[in-house]
């Protein structure tokens, strides 16, 4: 029985267990449900958990361990000279065995017996059954493949029997326990709690895994390129070299031009997004009538839903050339991909972040403060300038920092609109490049993951991560501090 | 009574504070929230230099009426006010009158203390600053000190004027709000249940303060506490379901109410 089918059978047994459990609980008190410790459904769920959880655990464990055991058994049966060969040769043999095994698996029992005869032409046999082999298999490989097939089949059989057996055993055990005194609700809730905990662990462990993998690969990279050359180098020239070559062909990996480009573009973007976003937030929360607000807020938020790649090619195809032509009119040489193009478009992308968050924050300023100010004869604009914005300032700063960390991590817009030249320039009309752009370009194409040219991507990723994490933590700290203010 | 000469009657009314020329006069004031009518033709005269209390059960319209006097209801879009309110014979709903100027003349203290998240000094200086009441820092300092003294708060905060106003206790915050209102030198001070969020000791201090302030201001207070109305006010109006049922000298209202509903409310039979 295949594993998915087996899982389905176990689930079906669980469903039966659920019915039996709730029925038995009712029967045990003669239908007087109120005398049960928990409601009948919990007894059903209790039996269900007992039925499927141990069996699933067994299936998962078995599926993890049995391939290893089988492959160990197979390789121990290979001729000595193959076992002692180099790693590459051994992995070739293994994949040949796997191919043959896949072919054999399609055969009927008779044909399989025929294939096991020492002098059968296995290749021809498989070809006639519609499973062509690319190689002429060695006899030991055919034997090993046959053995592997048998081992897998018996392993699966064993698993089927033991999993169903375990499920039935546990079902019986749990059903036997069902009675008015059994605290089934507490047990089921503990299982649910464990499930919730496991889900939250998935996110945390994934984050941890990503950070650790970046960290280890970065350490690997810093073993090749000194960390001070990376952090303080002013030249970015990774010079793609032939695989395996090393030494002076390694190129230069100076972070500064990329960091400069990232921060410069983010700065331009915030220069656009902060005033526009903030003023639109002030308009929407303080001046707009209900119907205008109802219309504009969702529209502004749609801006946040546009994929950044769309902004990117808008910048590349429309906005960049427009800016270049405009510059030519007034005698400025603006290149089509430049700090300005990327920054302005990214600024537009960030407007809804700033405006939406600021709008929420301004709305959170208690109405009583507004009334207090109006009550003293302040006009609406005085109230906004002198009471509401100062009160909301920490939150607004938090919103801006969140937008900044988005700007720093933004990839698609800058890939398309900022250019790829690692310039250390103050001129906003020239192309620059950013950390994210370089990560993309270092990891595009046919690569191996042990040269500094590719490993540098991890170091760049780590740098970016540290930057945005620091900004986010700071922003959250400020936002939280602000929240406590009115409580 | 009928035999008394007109001149002596005039003299008598001049001495009784509530019968002098009224400061605030409301005539047939009605308020609508959208379709719903909250006030029905309310008319009342409010004397200067005294305390007028509005009492009545929740939802009877006393706060709504109070908020008409400084046109605070203007900030609610669906709210509509009809009728006429004058302060010193000036119609406050006259289109040529600037509502901002009006609110500088009519200060307001709210139910919950609402100091701005600024320093104590800045809270008091806020009004004088926006109205340009001072030409120098020294003058502003003086206004702040005088206002805090009038609000009986100066002694408690004079050493920490730069601390945030939100850090004060509830009663101190409310006195800070009173100081803030006094600082712009209003003619009328509206108080919307100023003690409902305070403990009895803080309440006693505020009541004492109201008693002080009535020497210089026309104070109108909305309160749920009948004891408070009896303690601080000279005149009382009893609101019920959007109308003034009875209005008169506080003592008379409490000891000798003419209307059955007033009697029931005061003796605690409903409300």
């Amino acid at each position: 029985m295949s594993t998915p089918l087996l899982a389905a059978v176990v689930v079906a047994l669980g469903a039966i267990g659920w019915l039996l459990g709730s029925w038995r609980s009712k029967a045990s008190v003669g239908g007087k449900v109120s005398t049960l410790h928990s409601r009948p459904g919990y007894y059903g769920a209790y039996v269900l958990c007992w039925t499927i959880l141990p069996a699933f655990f067994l299936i998962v464990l078995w599926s993890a361990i049995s391939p290893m055991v089988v492959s160990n058994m197979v390789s121990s049966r290979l001729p000595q000279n193959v076992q002692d060969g180099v790693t590459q040769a051994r992995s070739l043999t293994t994949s040949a065995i796997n191919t043959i095994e896949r072919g054999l698996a399609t055969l009927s029992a008779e044909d399989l017996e025929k294939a096991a005869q020492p002098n059968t032409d296995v290749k021809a046999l498989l070809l006639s059954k519609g499973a062509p082999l690319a190689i002429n298999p060695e006899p030991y490989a055919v034997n090993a493949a046959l053995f592997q097939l048998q081992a897998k089949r018996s392993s699966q059989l064993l698993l089927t029997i033991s999993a169903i057996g375990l499920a039935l055993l546990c079902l019986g055990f749990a059903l036997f326990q069902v009675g008015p005194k059994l605290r089934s609700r507490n047990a089921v809730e503990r299982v649910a709690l464990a499930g919730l905990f496991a889900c939250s662990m998935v996110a945390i462990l994934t984050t941890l895994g990503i950070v650790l993998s970046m960290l280890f690969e970065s350490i690997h990279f810093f073993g090749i390129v000194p960390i001070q050359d990376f952090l303080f180098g002013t030249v970015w020239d990774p010079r793609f070299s032939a695989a395996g070559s090393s030494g002076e062909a390694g190129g230069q990996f100076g972070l500064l031009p990329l960091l400069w480009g990232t921060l410069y573009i983010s700065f331009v973007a915030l220069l656009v997004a902060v005033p526009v976003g903030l003023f639109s937030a002030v308009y929407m929360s303080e001046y707009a009538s209900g119907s205008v607000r109802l219309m504009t807020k969702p529209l502004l938020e749609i801006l946040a839903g546009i994929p950044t790649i769309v902004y990117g090619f808008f910048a590349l195809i429309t906005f960049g050339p427009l800016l270049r032509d405009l510059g030519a009119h007034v005698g400025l040489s603006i290149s089509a991909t430049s700090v300005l193009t990327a920054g302005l478009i990214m600024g537009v992308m960030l407007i809804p972040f700033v405006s939406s968050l600021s709008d929420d924050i301004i709305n959170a300023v208690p109405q009583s403060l507004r009334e207090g100010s109006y009550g003293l004869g302040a006009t609406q604009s005085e109230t906004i300038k002198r009471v509401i914005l100062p009160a909301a300032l920490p939150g607004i700063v938090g919103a801006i920092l969140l937008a900044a960390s988005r700007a720093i991590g933004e990839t698609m817009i800058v890939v398309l609109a900022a250019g790829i030249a690692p310039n250390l320039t103050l001129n906003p009309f020239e192309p620059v490049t950013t950390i994210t752009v370089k990560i993309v370009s270092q990891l595009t194409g046919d690569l191996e993951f042990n040269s500094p040219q590719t490993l540098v991507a991890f170091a760049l990723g780590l740098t970016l991560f540290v930057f945005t994490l620091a900004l986010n933590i700071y922003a959250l700290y400020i936002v939280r501090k602000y929240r406590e203010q009115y409580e | 009574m009928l035999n008394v000469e007109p001149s002596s009657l005039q003299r008598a009314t001049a001495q009784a504070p509530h019968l002098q020329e009224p400061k605030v006069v409301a005539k047939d004031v009605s308020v609508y929230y959208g379709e719903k009518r909250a006030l029905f033709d309310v008319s009342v005269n409010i004397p200067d230099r005294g305390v007028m209390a509005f009492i009545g059960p929740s939802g009877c319209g006393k706060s709504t009426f109070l908020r008409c006097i400084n046109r605070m209801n203007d900030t609610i879009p669906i709210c509509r006010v009809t009728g006429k309110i004058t302060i010193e014979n000036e119609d406050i709903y006259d289109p040529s009158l600037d509502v901002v100027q009006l609110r500088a003349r009519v200060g307001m203290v709210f139910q919950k203390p609402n100091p701005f998240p600024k320093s104590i000094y800045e809270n008091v200086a806020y009004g004088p600053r926006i109205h340009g009441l001072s030409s120098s820092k020294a003058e502003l300092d003086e206004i702040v000190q005088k206002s805090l003294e009038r609000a009986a708060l100066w002694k408690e905060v004079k050493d920490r004027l730069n601390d945030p106003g939100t850090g004060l206790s509830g009663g101190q915050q409310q006195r800070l709000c009173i100081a803030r209102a006094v600082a712009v030198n209003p003619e009328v001070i509206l108080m919307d249940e100023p003690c409902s969020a305070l403990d009895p000791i803080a309440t006693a201090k505020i009541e004492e303060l109201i008693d002080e302030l009535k020497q210089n201001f026309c104070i109108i207070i909305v309160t749920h506490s009948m004891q408070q109305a009896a303690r601080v006010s000279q005149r009382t109006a009893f609101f019920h379901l959007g109308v003034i049922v009875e209005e008169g000298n506080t003592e008379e209202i409490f000891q000798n109410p003419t209307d059955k509903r007033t009697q029931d409310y005061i003796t605690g039979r409903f409300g």
Side-chain angles (χ1 to χ4, degrees), chain A residues 302-322:
Chain A
I302 286 176
L303 211 57
I306 295 175
T308 56
I309 183 79
V310 176
Y311 283 109
F313 64 68
F314 173 66
L316 181 71
I317 295 171
T318 315
F319 191 66
L322 180 81

Side-chain angles (χ1 to χ4, degrees), chain A residues 362-384:
Chain A
I362 290 173
N363 272 325
V365 174
Q367 188 62 25
S368 67
L369 289 187
R370 292 186 182 86
E371 293 199 330
S373 176
Y374 294 148
L376 290 168
T379 64
Q380 195 166 10
S381 85
E382 280 164 344
T383 303
I384 292 167

Side-chain angles (χ1 to χ4, degrees), chain A residues 368-379 382-383 386-387 390-391 485-486, chain B residues 67 72 75 100 103-104 106-107 110 114-118 126 129-131 180-181:
Chain A
S368 67
L369 289 187
R370 292 186 182 86
E371 293 199 330
S373 176
Y374 294 148
L376 290 168
T379 64
E382 280 164 344
T383 303
R386 291 171 181 243
V387 175
Q485 206 171 319
Y486 302 120
Chain B
R67 290 166 63 94
M72 205 52 140
T75 58
V100 167
R103 288 187 192 142
V106 184
F110 296 83
N114 57 348
F116 302 132
K118 299 169 180 285
Y126 180 80
R129 276 223 174 99
I130 55 176
H131 294 298
R180 189 175 71 181

Side-chain angles (χ1 to χ4, degrees), chain A residues 82-343:
Chain A
V82 178
Q83 281 191 43
D84 294 342
V86 289
T87 322
Q88 280 92 338
R90 245 185 311 160
S91 78
L92 268 180
T93 315
T94 313
S95 70
I97 292 172
N98 285 339
T99 319
I100 303 169
E101 188 226 319
R102 268 199 298 281
L104 291 174
T106 62
L107 299 184
S108 64
E110 289 165 42
D111 290 332
L112 213 52
E113 230 160 84
K114 220 190 283 171
Q117 304 299 322
N119 44 8
T120 324
D121 183 356
V122 176
K123 187 177 180 181
L125 179 68
L126 285 177
L127 188 62
S128 70
K129 298 297 173 191
L133 284 183
I135 44 158
N136 227 347
E138 306 269 350
Y140 71 81
V142 176
N143 280 338
L146 273 169
F147 175 77
Q148 186 169 322
L149 185 65
Q150 294 303 343
K152 275 189 181 171
R153 284 187 173 171
S154 33
S155 153
Q156 192 65 32
L157 185 67
L158 207 59
L159 170 63
T160 306
I161 293 168
S162 51
I164 293 179
L166 184 65
L168 285 171
L169 199 69
C170 292
L171 192 157
F173 171 69
L175 206 55
F176 172 73
Q177 285 183 310
V178 167
K181 288 250 175 328
L182 177 66
R183 295 159 67 83
S184 63
R185 180 178 57 79
N186 309 46
V188 170
E189 279 172 356
R190 267 200 299 280
V191 171
L193 199 65
L196 297 178
F197 176 72
C199 286
S200 69
M201 276 335 259
V202 169
I204 294 170
L205 290 180
T206 312
T207 314
L208 202 68
I210 290 173
V211 171
L212 285 182
S213 101
M214 279 203 299
L215 197 64
F216 286 129
E217 297 291 347
S218 300
I219 289 169
H220 191 173
F221 170 73
F222 291 132
I224 306 170
V225 176
I227 187 163
Q228 64 272 20
D229 289 3
F230 173 71
L231 286 181
F232 306 114
T234 54
V235 177
W236 174 267
D237 181 17
R239 241 185 289 167
F240 271 99
S241 52
S245 69
S246 59
E248 62 95 35
Q252 285 174 281
F253 299 92
L255 173 70
L256 288 183
L258 310 187
L259 191 61
W260 169 248
T262 304
L263 295 180
Y264 198 3
I265 291 177
S266 304
F267 175 73
V268 173
L270 289 177
L271 223 53
V272 176
V274 170
V276 176
L278 202 54
F279 289 146
S280 72
V282 166
Y283 171 71
M284 279 194 298
S285 58
E286 296 295 319
Y287 290 103
S289 66
S291 55
V292 173
R293 188 180 150 80
L294 222 59
M295 288 282 292
T296 40
K297 201 163 152 75
L299 279 177
L300 252 173
E301 274 158 11
I302 286 176
L303 211 57
I306 295 175
T308 56
I309 183 79
V310 176
Y311 283 109
F313 64 68
F314 173 66
L316 181 71
I317 295 171
T318 315
F319 191 66
L322 180 81
L323 217 57
R324 185 192 53 205
D325 299 344
L326 219 62
H329 256 295
V330 296
L332 285 170
S333 90
I334 303 176
S335 95
T337 58
S338 66
V339 175
L340 204 60
T341 316

Side-chain angles (χ1 to χ4, degrees), chain A residues 211 214 218 230-231 255 258-263 266 404-411 414 433-440 456-472:
Chain A
V211 171
M214 279 203 299
S218 300
F230 173 71
L231 286 181
L255 173 70
L258 310 187
L259 191 61
W260 169 248
T262 304
L263 295 180
S266 304
S405 83
R406 281 254 346 174
I408 289 173
E410 171 51 38
T411 309
V414 284
T433 196
T434 69
I435 295 177
T436 48
V437 170
K438 280 304 159 193
I439 293 178
V440 171
V456 70
F458 291 98
L460 290 174
L462 192 66
T463 316
L464 209 54
F465 172 74
V466 169
F467 255 85
T468 49
L469 183 72
L471 266 180
N472 276 336

